[in-house]
Amino acid sequence: MPDNRVVVYQGPGKVGVEGVEYPRLELPDEVVNGLGLAKGAPHAVILKVVTSNICGSDQHMVRGRTTAPIGQTLGHEITGEVVEAGDDVLFHKIGDICSVPFNIACGRCRMCNEGKTGVCLNVNPARPGAAYGYVDMGGWIGGQADYVMVPFADFNLLKFPDRDQALEKILDLTMLSDIFPTGYHGAYTAGVTTGSTVYVAGAGPVGLAAAHAAQLLGASVVIVGDMVQERLAQARSFGCETVDLSADGTLSEKIDDVLGEPEVDAAVDAVGFEARGHGAGAAEQPATVLNDVMTIARAGASLGIPGLYVTGDPGGIDEHAKVGQLGVRIGLGWAKSHRFTTGQCPVKQYNRVLMNMILSGRARIASAVNATKISLDQAPEGYQQFDHGAARKYVLDPHGMVPA
């Protein structure tokens, strides 16, 4: 069998590439023992990983800001080529190149039947919902690897219609596993539509994806807020307005400078629980962005919250933050009749239509997020640069399949 390697969390601030067993068509012991399912997985496939991306959610683990144990495998953004298929896989064959939603879903439970694949009931005994290579998400091996197993393949995989076209556009298509649908979900659930004015908090890859999605949905003005100048410049590169949150002045004043009024029609939190306050050198204030979006969203607005919030944060600023209990001004949101959408993006609701947008040339998500390919061996360097605020989306290319 081929060798297999995977990126592994080795302690706060440190990842490495380690050798692991080649995947089998079997479910993780955690799932088998916790849910009483059969070990064998004839419904699964083995993928040769074409691309796997470094995500900001991975960085929370690598910074030591979750309960992830040392040895946790990493990688939930996966695109791959089918190299082995179980006997029960009917609609995928060897050689197919497919996108893998980061949500692992059985396709059979009540939540899956309702389209809520981010909270599948049959893939994680700890809580609804699972993902590859993530703490408390079912024990599934990560996809920042040479090879990975994908269960319930007929339900989960999105096959690209043409192999050559897929490889030509792979830096765009690789974003379908997570950040493009997640950003789109943030903008869509915030109610972005033709002519909307939109504020996106955070110019990391998900924030940039949300900004590009807002443009595709017809927004008249998209404003992106961040403290990292390189990331703000990246947002401006595809037509967004920006506000520098490290500068003096309130967010409402900054919005007013752009729009002539201090409120927007829709707002997206693409930051999550490691948010900081405003101003140069501001300290961590985990509820900052949630309170910001309520402050600057008009009455009756919707708020999309794809930014990650956790139930366990060893590095939280106080005992409340360590269990995900934050100082959110819910009274403000109530008074303004705001609507909130939180949680994992149900990728399958969006990935096929977004694939069509990419293949037609309408969506240019790789350019928007500054997709940058690196080898699997360069993953530790990519994590370090990303953690220092690089305005790039790092795409791992384990087998050299990404065109130059």
Side-chain angles (χ1 to χ4, degrees):
M1 285 186 179
D3 293 332
N4 194 25
R5 299 170 300 157
V6 67
V7 179
V8 173
Y9 170 60
Q10 298 178 333
K14 186 177 181 182
V15 302
V17 181
E18 299 182 5
V20 292
E21 185 179 9
Y22 186 82
R24 299 177 181 179
L25 298 177
E26 295 178 348
L27 300 183
D29 288 339
E30 187 173 329
V31 173
V32 171
N33 297 332
L35 293 171
L37 301 182
K39 180 72 173 175
H43 47 74
V45 300
I46 307 299
L47 295 183
K48 177 182 179 180
V49 176
V50 176
T51 54
S52 183
N53 316 325
I54 297 175
C55 181
S57 297
D58 298 321
Q59 288 285 18
H60 295 306
M61 287 189 289
V62 174
R63 293 186 189 116
R65 297 299 300 270
T66 73
T67 56
I70 291 175
Q72 169 73 55
T73 63
L74 301 174
H76 56 271
E77 300 189 16
I78 306 164
T79 305
E81 176 184 359
V82 178
V83 294
E84 183 180 348
D87 291 341
D88 287 349
V89 177
L90 302 179
F91 305 113
H92 297 284
K93 63 182 186 299
I94 306 303
D96 287 349
I97 296 182
C98 306
S99 179
V100 184
F102 79 91
N103 332 102
I104 302 171
C106 73
R108 297 160 169 81
C109 70
R110 174 179 176 176
M111 293 297 100
C112 287
N113 282 322
E114 293 178 2
K116 301 171 183 175
T117 53
V119 283
C120 174
L121 303 175
N122 291 328
V123 287
N124 182 2
R127 64 182 68 177
Y132 305 89
Y134 214 86
V135 60
D136 295 331
M137 297 301 279
W140 302 86
I141 299 297
Q144 289 172 11
D146 290 311
Y147 298 89
V148 70
M149 187 273 288
V150 174
F152 310 109
D154 282 330
F155 184 71
N156 284 309
L157 293 180
L158 174 66
K159 176 184 173 181
F160 301 139
D162 181 87
R163 179 187 177 89
D164 291 339
Q165 183 187 36
L167 290 173
E168 180 183 347
K169 290 182 174 285
I170 197 66
L171 285 179
D172 291 285
L173 294 170
T174 190
M175 305 305 165
L176 291 172
S177 58
D178 183 354
I179 68 161
F180 197 13
T182 294
Y184 191 93
H185 181 63
Y188 181 79
T189 57
V192 177
T193 188
T194 306
S196 297
T197 58
V198 184
Y199 175 68
V200 177
V206 170
L208 296 172
H212 186 43
Q215 294 173 331
L216 295 172
L217 286 163
S220 59
V221 182
V222 180
I223 305 170
V224 180
D226 205 293
M227 298 183 182
V228 179
Q229 299 306 311
E230 185 182 358
R231 289 183 167 183
L232 292 173
Q234 180 61 28
R236 290 191 294 271
S237 75
F238 60 98
C240 298
E241 301 288 339
T242 60
V243 293
D244 180 359
L245 300 176
S246 68
D248 293 337
T250 67
L251 179 57
S252 295
E253 291 170 341
K254 297 176 193 297
I255 298 291
D256 190 43
D257 288 341
V258 175
L259 297 178
E261 58 180 351
E263 292 184 326
V264 293
D265 298 321
V268 179
D269 171 4
V271 176
F273 73 103
E274 287 193 65
R276 295 184 174 275
H278 298 178
E284 187 171 309
Q285 296 178 20
T288 296
V289 175
L290 293 171
N291 291 327
D292 276 351
V293 293
M294 288 187 287
T295 299
I296 54 87
R298 62 169 173 79
S302 296
L303 308 177
I305 308 174
L308 175 66
Y309 290 88
V310 296
T311 56
D313 173 12
I317 61 172
D318 54 37
E319 293 306 308
H320 295 296
K322 289 179 180 179
V323 294
Q325 183 176 329
L326 310 180
V328 178
R329 296 182 62 198
I330 191 64
L332 175 61
W334 190 95
K336 297 176 78 172
S337 293
H338 284 160
R339 288 162 289 175
F340 300 77
T341 300
T342 67
Q344 287 187 40
C345 165
V347 170
K348 282 176 59 66
Q349 289 190 21
Y350 306 106
N351 63 352
R352 185 174 299 276
V353 295
L354 294 177
M355 175 187 73
N356 291 340
M357 295 287 277
I358 289 170
L359 295 178
S360 70
R362 285 288 312 283
R364 296 176 174 83
I365 185 64
S367 176
V369 301
N370 196 14
T372 303
K373 75 166 182 174
I374 59 176
S375 70
L376 188 64
D377 289 325
Q378 291 174 304
E381 180 183 351
Y383 268 93
Q384 185 177 53
Q385 292 177 359
F386 188 31
D387 194 44
H388 289 150
R392 297 176 182 273
K393 177 68 171 177
Y394 287 103
V395 177
L396 304 181
D397 178 16
H399 298 281
M401 298 179 71
V402 177

